[in-house]
Amino acid sequence: MTSRKATKKFVKRISKSKVNRAVVPLVGRNKADSVSTIGYLCRGVVNAVSLRGAMDDLKERLGGKGAGLVALAKLSVPVPPAFNLSTDLCQEYLLHHRLPKIVWDKTQLAVGGLENNLKRKFGSESNPLLVSVRSGARVSMPGMMDTILNLGLNTHTVECLARTQPDNARFWWDCYRRLIHMFSSVVLGVEDRTFESILTDLRRREMVKSDSELSASALRDCCLSYLRAVSEENRTFPQDPWEQLRLAIEAVFRSWNTDRAIHYRKLNRISDDWGTAVTVQTMVFGNLNDRSGTGVVFTRNPSTGVKEIYGEYLLNAQGEDVVAGIRTPHPIKDMKGDLPKAYAQLVKILTKLEQHFLDAQDVEFTIENEKLYILQTRTAKRSAAAAIEHASQFVREKKVTTKQAIQRIGYEQVKQLLHPSLKPTAETPLVRGLPASPGACSGRIAFDPATALQYSRAQQKVILVRRETSPEDIMGMAVSEGILTSTGGMTSHAAVVGRGMGKTCVVGCSDLVVDEAHRMAEAQGKVLREGDFITLNGTTGDVYLGELPTEPVKWGKTAQNFFEWADKIATLPVLANADTPDQAALALELGAQGIGLCRTEHMFFDRERIQRFRLMILSESGKDLFQLADALKDYQRKDFVEILKAMDGFPVTVRLLDPPLHEFLPKIEDHDEVATLATELKTSITKLESRIRQLHETNPMLGHRGCRLGMTFPEIYDMQIRALAESLGERLLEGGKPMLKIMIPLIMSAAELQLLLKRLKAVFNETVALKFSSHPKVMKSIAKSLRWGTMIELPSACAIAAELAPHLDFFSFGTNDLTQTGLGISRDDGGKFVPVYVEKGIFKRDPFETLEVKSIGRLIEWAVKEGRQANKSLEIGVCGEHGGDPESIEFFRELNFDTISCSPFRVPMARLAAAKAELKLEK
Amino acid sequence: MTSRKATKKFVKRISKSKVNRAVVPLVGRNKADSVSTIGYLCRGVVNAVSLRGAMDDLKERLGGKGAGLVALAKLSVPVPPAFNLSTDLCQEYLLHHRLPKIVWDKTQLAVGGLENNLKRKFGSESNPLLVSVRSGARVSMPGMMDTILNLGLNTHTVECLARTQPDNARFWWDCYRRLIHMFSSVVLGVEDRTFESILTDLRRREMVKSDSELSASALRDCCLSYLRAVSEENRTFPQDPWEQLRLAIEAVFRSWNTDRAIHYRKLNRISDDWGTAVTVQTMVFGNLNDRSGTGVVFTRNPSTGVKEIYGEYLLNAQGEDVVAGIRTPHPIKDMKGDLPKAYAQLVKILTKLEQHFLDAQDVEFTIENEKLYILQTRTAKRSAAAAIEHASQFVREKKVTTKQAIQRIGYEQVKQLLHPSLKPTAETPLVRGLPASPGACSGRIAFDPATALQYSRAQQKVILVRRETSPEDIMGMAVSEGILTSTGGMTSHAAVVGRGMGKTCVVGCSDLVVDEAHRMAEAQGKVLREGDFITLNGTTGDVYLGELPTEPVKWGKTAQNFFEWADKIATLPVLANADTPDQAALALELGAQGIGLCRTEHMFFDRERIQRFRLMILSESGKDLFQLADALKDYQRKDFVEILKAMDGFPVTVRLLDPPLHEFLPKIEDHDEVATLATELKTSITKLESRIRQLHETNPMLGHRGCRLGMTFPEIYDMQIRALAESLGERLLEGGKPMLKIMIPLIMSAAELQLLLKRLKAVFNETVALKFSSHPKVMKSIAKSLRWGTMIELPSACAIAAELAPHLDFFSFGTNDLTQTGLGISRDDGGKFVPVYVEKGIFKRDPFETLEVKSIGRLIEWAVKEGRQANKSLEIGVCGEHGGDPESIEFFRELNFDTISCSPFRVPMARLAAAKAELKLEK
């Protein structure tokens, strides 16, 4: 199809009313205007603005920025007039690579509206209307997409303006310089450094330190050099303001699909389908003079959570100067002295905004000639601790319910909460910067994102060290443990993105001189080179040489309270996968209500135990095997007693031996290890090698493991059952309230289960009778403290759930193996094609991360339904990795699972997810 | 539970009426008796005996032998009177290891019935009743279970009898000798050779060659030596005849569970639950004198199928002498001269029996003093060719319908039909024996079953060479290609079992001297040693030195007719798995109605092709890959054209590339091969090794294979599609009627299928447009000649059948991989535990042999149901190994599959199974 045909077809499809809705005048200059000129709001959406749902609708269509402006206008907050091209148009544009004429006509009309409103004229030589063209998606993607400021100027109009307004000559050339740079970089693809080097040369020639010291004529030279540089790259900076506007709008739409935006969306699980809206807004000028300025302010501290106005500002600057971290800005409280009237007005507005949005806000403002404009407001991006602190403050202030508070906390934030902190240390920090994002980490220095990726691929921990970060650095930031910059404030790109990602981040470390070109940095006379280790403390801003020890974060009282709220909402108890008494204690601290998976094999990995275990594997006769297994029994019994004690009153689910035996032996290629082991085990190398070879499997995942070991080496399972029976009895004797659940792995057939259960129950009862027959208390309680179950981790087990269920107390879905066998993907080998499948959208996400509900979910659903039909009191749980994944948890809740279980560090996230799943069901 | 308690409980359970039914007097001495004394028949079953169903009922309760006797009596054929302990009692006995008193009382009463009938007395000194105690299960298990003859004698009674009947003194001592030997061996576990060595010594002392030459006093000495030998082994031969009888009955019940019986049942898929009945029958004596004898006779030839009376007999002998092959017997026609009256009576009876049973019979008879008794009749065990010939004869004689004829042929017989025969040869045979079971085979000589097993485990073909075989040899026979014995006739153990197993078998090869002790044999002055190669021609009886070339059996006209009858009955067409034009031709000859699976990768295994394929695997850039793939296209196109031509008018289902790429490269350990390949492919060893390492997978079964290759290396699938499009077009151009079905392997997701289908269909249409746009005939027909489908071989595919079906014309179940993933068993690794699972009865059979209907079958059922609901015209087939397994075919027929497909040599078996499945559904 030719592009003309395509456009025609597209224009036909996009009806006039759709265009009317798509190009939306947003806000007038004053209250009256802000209502009368808002066509979109006139169609009955006005009253809905104050409602959450309606706000979400607006965000969906107008983007976060557009919706925020609507809300601000409704609150009579002063905002520069604007209109909006909605997100629908973005998808249309990306499909057809062209803005249809009808949309463009409407856009021109909307600019006319702004002109009328402000009594200025777009492209005028005397009283020009300048606009910014801003991106804004449904959710904030800070710095990921493009924005262009100061549109509407050309060389001719600027010459005229400078001539007729000599006092403002410097201002107009500065605006024009910024426009040429930004437009050429974003729309025409000219590299930033082209302009930066011209500016550096100019500063040198003029012998000034900062741009603000440059004279009008120097800036004029700068503009002309910029234009020449653009021409030399065979590009044209359009002199027609309308052409500037059209190209800028298109460029913003296109910026939805830059690599960094796509990557950011993948990281943050944002749909590629949403698209960005474009907001065209009248420029106000923080760079007009010294009674002008710009800043970013939070209504509450985004790092510590403290309830205080927190932010930064710069006089005589445009917003980009603050965010990009080029100049280090001043704390917001200094503004009280510089611009007292504007400051008082700002404080008032911030209070109003918080009262309206009922959450801490992150507000951008500009002051033009002492007049305050709010450019944007949004929910504050903040550290996890701050987010929880804020949510808790709002609950305490009775402004939101606990349910609302729960919804405000994201899973990435919970992960961040669990970041370690530095152990108390006597080391002196090398330098100190601003504590932009809390936590502690060590790693090798990388001076650019490519090197960071390289280290990361080589499994090296890395810390990205930059003068300042920009959106191009996003992938490097994602793979780094932490970020350190020498410039920029608490609201700089590095700080905002770092906090969002939950990375430890120290910014504005001005004593650190970073020389990216020579791949080195220097501080206190010490030279840091790429690959050197440093340690960051994001909570204090301290930077240390070398690697310092860290310790897990201790839960604050606020966090504990918060997760208890979640527990009260949730109906799905979260258990933990824990294999040792230590892990059990950690799980308990993190709020687990029991152990959903205790892998007995992990108890053998200690040096002494594994040698005994290996002897067992190498033995041949049944009697030997019995004795060798018996020698391991006491280790297991002690561990079980400890775990049952730590989890007293909570269920402890113990899985019998599962992995294939070869996992306990060295690889045949490791000749040295085989030789050492042969000596230790007092056997010959040949014999050991032959046993290793015998145990080798082509597809170990589908091999001789799980309860198949129990079937062929019954002595091992018998030993484990004896250890369990003894430990349960001991705990009862000690007066505890143990609740033991014994779980058989890898069941594939009902006959298999029945045979095993018969033997294991017999061994259990025999052991109990032998050890505790003289303790009536134990004998009486032991049956009540015991449950038998199986893992459902094979498709065949799902298919025969109805035959398994009557023999059991519980099912526990092993979703890792069920995913491997159900999809036929080995976790170890999927790396070669699973990423391609995710990229092509066949999988929404890695199926080992989020349950593939469409297929594996259906198998589970089937098994749950048939299992419950066959045994009304059957308990159903999950202990695969998906037990800690929020989206999967939602699915388990829908199927009325009785428990979920995940690794201890994921327990808080799972508790939150269980609460959110409940709230979703309530809707 | 103590054994006394158990017995009490058991006796309570077994009601009197059950005992009445369980201990059954079978047949009287004459016609009147045979009706009046048969309690069982009196209760209304008489008329039902002539019906098939009722005969089966009788067999189920009385065993084949018991039921046969009932039938014989009904036909007024002379049989020795008998009664029966039914199969129910066997299971009861095996559970409680004790014959309950009430059963034993009833047994004594039944003996009383025989005494009255014959006017003899059990245990009498003057006129004793002797009985045999015979095993007999529902189906014949020749020689697998125990039988004891001549019960009822002791030293005292024999001394009396010898004294009072001096003419018969020799006879009575001979009977007693046989009793002591057989009873002590079977019941008391004394080894045969104990008695054999006593007898050998005696013959030497008496200077006679055969036992029949021994005098009465020598035989008396023999008996006394036997009794001493038994005592020396601390066993007691019971002198009380009743004790003999009780112990013998118990021993026969116990013999159901000997290793060899269990093994035989496993081989022949006989249920372990059936149990054996015991028939207690009056002895008649073929060893009384020279007017007595015993023999085995077939109503039609069991080897060639010719309609002629065929068999063997021995004068002055008991039945065991014929069957065990100790003396080589005479052809049955010689009996006409020896005992003309008995012979005429026998011929008359045989005709009567065939008319009654409507199938060829295998009849055992004994002549006592010229009086003929029929001991047993059963359906003849015969060669496959004979079975089909007989069935066809009965159809031609209008005695049975084609449906009945079909039911008579077993699957093992069909396998045997396909055994190869010797190519015409100029070699002179070394020796010639009796052609006991047809076919031809070569292998290494093994002189005992243990050695045969050893060779077989080492993947060596083996021929078991013995003087004679016995039931202990059964496992060795099972693993051998063929069996050669130096003694025994056409009805010897080796001949009967060999025919049953479909093994090539030559017996009675008297010119061959076998010295098992020295592990050698000698014939025509040539010495054969263990491990030497010989070749057997079971159709002629010729034995050759060395390995001779064989050729596949050509279908006789009878066989072709027979399978066409099967096709007419069946509704499920049988297709074949065939990868080359040659295989396609073979499949067609064996009756396949198309190709259900053509594995395209097999086309690359030719040396020249595989090098090109390897180059493709090693290439990195997309363009290179495209060119390299393109170079392979023509090979594929030519093969496809040939296959479509061979199968003109029939569907040809082509599966796109499936195996993981590493299967095409040498193993990394094969340094030489890697080096050679690197040179050939003009690449460095390092690079090649790195690629091999890169392609290595931990679980290749769950790895980067199937359509995942099509997703990540689209060039390969594109090439295959182009080759397919071109070949289909070419065949249409040539005026053929091709029917191409393109099949995508390993689909796990609907999105994956849709993406692939979209691309593949586009490539197909593009190729067709490019090559055939000037041929309207091709353009018109090509769409009608093409179907798209997928393999359903992952559990996830079963779960999403409803989403896949609307996009496809057909599903083909890949039951091998579905079994591997569904059960989580790697075919390569299952060897370590699957046999244990079969042994423990968890699996009825290896799940890769017979579909595990309970779980994998449920997944299939689900997919079929949902797939058909979503697409009414969806065709459903199977192309895994189970497509050739009768029991699985029954399951596929029940689910209304549209086709099944199996390897060419299994096609006839599948055709028969399809017909039988249909007949089963008709019931």
Side-chain angles (χ1 to χ4, degrees), chain A residues 707 744-749 752-753 756 790-791 794 796-797 804:
Chain A
C707 67
I744 306 174
L746 213 72
I747 282 290
M748 63 172 155
S749 129
E752 178 187 45
L753 176 73
L756 276 170
T790 181
M791 294 200 54
L794 290 174
S796 54
L804 300 177

Side-chain angles (χ1 to χ4, degrees), chain B residues 674-918:
Chain B
V674 172
T676 314
L677 183 61
T679 314
E680 281 185 34
L681 301 183
K682 298 191 184 69
T683 186
S684 74
I685 294 181
T686 324
K687 206 178 144 191
L688 182 56
E689 281 183 343
S690 123
R691 185 72 177 137
I692 293 174
R693 226 171 258 122
Q694 199 189 335
L695 288 174
H696 170 80
E697 297 188 305
T698 312
N699 293 291
M701 176 60 216
L702 308 174
H704 192 180
R705 48 179 286 254
C707 68
R708 295 161 192 180
L709 296 172
M711 199 61 84
T712 51
F713 300 93
E715 294 84 358
I716 299 179
Y717 271 25
D718 289 358
M719 173 275 281
Q720 296 197 303
I721 293 291
R722 293 204 312 280
L724 286 165
E726 290 180 16
S727 61
L728 184 59
E730 263 181 54
R731 282 299 299 147
L732 285 168
L733 260 189
E734 290 170 13
K737 286 186 179 146
M739 172 51 68
L740 176 64
K741 300 172 81 170
I742 300 179
M743 181 157 75
I744 305 174
L746 213 72
I747 282 291
M748 65 172 153
S749 129
E752 177 188 44
L753 175 73
Q754 282 168 271
L755 265 183
L756 276 169
L757 269 184
K758 195 176 152 191
R759 178 176 182 121
L760 300 181
K761 286 185 174 178
V763 172
F764 191 95
N765 293 335
E766 203 178 281
T767 310
V768 169
L770 193 73
K771 295 271 171 177
F772 305 103
S773 55
S774 56
H775 299 284
K777 198 179 97 187
V778 175
M779 297 302 286
K780 205 183 124 205
S781 317
I782 204 152
K784 278 185 288 184
S785 315
L786 177 66
R787 299 282 181 275
W788 294 89
T790 180
M791 292 197 58
I792 303 286
E793 52 188 332
L794 290 173
S796 55
C798 292
I800 55 163
E803 291 162 69
L804 300 177
H807 307 285
L808 294 169
D809 303 310
F810 68 93
F811 280 178
S812 182
F813 283 90
T815 51
N816 301 349
D817 281 7
L818 192 59
T819 298
Q820 295 199 74
T821 51
L823 292 175
I825 300 179
S826 157
R827 218 174 161 163
D828 301 317
D829 307 310
K832 283 170 203 150
F833 55 90
V834 170
V836 177
Y837 272 61
V838 173
E839 197 181 292
K840 289 186 189 277
I842 295 172
F843 292 138
K844 221 167 107 195
R845 264 189 293 290
D846 185 330
F848 293 104
E849 193 186 317
T850 299
L851 192 78
E852 182 67 5
V853 170
K854 280 184 192 166
S855 48
I856 306 306
R858 283 212 72 192
L859 290 172
I860 293 175
E861 203 181 332
W862 195 25
V864 167
K865 197 180 130 204
E866 302 219 332
R868 285 214 169 108
Q869 264 173 9
N871 176 356
K872 296 271 176 281
S873 62
L874 188 73
E875 272 187 30
I876 290 181
V878 55
C879 60
E881 279 301 307
H882 302 101
D885 172 68
E887 212 169 298
S888 312
I889 290 172
E890 220 173 83
F891 176 76
F892 299 133
R893 175 62 192 88
E894 278 166 24
L895 290 188
N896 274 311
F897 270 48
D898 296 294
T899 59
I900 52 179
S901 186
C902 57
S903 56
F905 277 115
R906 300 183 78 183
V907 166
M909 199 150 86
R911 291 163 73 190
L912 181 63
K916 289 195 179 188
E918 206 60 40

Side-chain angles (χ1 to χ4, degrees), chain A residues 817-888:
Chain A
D817 282 6
L818 191 59
T819 298
Q820 295 199 75
T821 49
L823 292 173
I825 300 180
S826 156
R827 220 177 160 162
D828 300 317
D829 307 309
K832 282 169 203 150
F833 56 91
V834 170
V836 177
Y837 271 61
V838 173
E839 197 180 291
K840 289 187 190 276
I842 295 171
F843 292 137
K844 221 167 105 196
R845 264 188 293 289
D846 185 327
F848 293 105
E849 194 185 318
T850 299
L851 191 80
E852 183 67 4
V853 170
K854 280 182 193 166
S855 48
I856 306 306
R858 283 211 73 193
L859 290 173
I860 293 175
E861 205 182 329
W862 195 27
V864 167
K865 199 180 128 205
E866 303 218 332
R868 284 214 171 109
Q869 265 173 10
N871 177 356
K872 295 273 175 278
S873 62
L874 188 73
E875 272 188 31
I876 290 182
V878 55
C879 60
E881 279 302 304
H882 301 101
D885 172 67
E887 213 168 298
S888 311

Side-chain angles (χ1 to χ4, degrees), chain A residues 414 417-418 553-557 559-560 563 589-590 908 911:
Chain A
V414 178
L417 262 193
L418 298 167
V553 148
K554 287 178 194 71
W555 284 98
K557 213 177 144 63
Q560 280 207 336
F563 281 97
E589 197 195 319
L590 295 173
R911 291 163 74 190

Side-chain angles (χ1 to χ4, degrees), chain A residues 298-374:
Chain A
F298 291 85
T299 57
R300 305 190 186 206
N301 188 308
S303 183
T304 63
V306 172
K307 191 179 173 183
E308 63 182 2
I309 291 175
Y310 183 91
E312 296 160 328
Y313 81 110
L314 275 172
L315 285 179
N316 200 354
Q318 281 200 349
E320 48 170 342
D321 303 332
V322 180
V323 175
I326 294 169
R327 284 157 61 188
T328 301
H330 311 294
I332 193 73
K333 62 177 187 289
D334 294 359
M335 190 177 142
K336 203 170 180 176
D338 291 341
L339 298 161
K341 223 180 89 187
Y343 183 77
Q345 196 188 354
L346 177 64
V347 170
K348 233 168 112 183
I349 288 172
L350 293 181
T351 311
K352 196 189 243 180
L353 291 177
E354 253 204 3
Q355 269 170 354
H356 177 71
F357 289 107
L358 295 175
D359 201 353
Q361 295 294 300
D362 162 359
V363 177
E364 284 180 26
F365 66 90
T366 286
I367 298 155
E368 184 183 307
N369 249 331
E370 294 194 359
K371 180 158 173 41
L372 176 71
Y373 292 94
I374 304 297

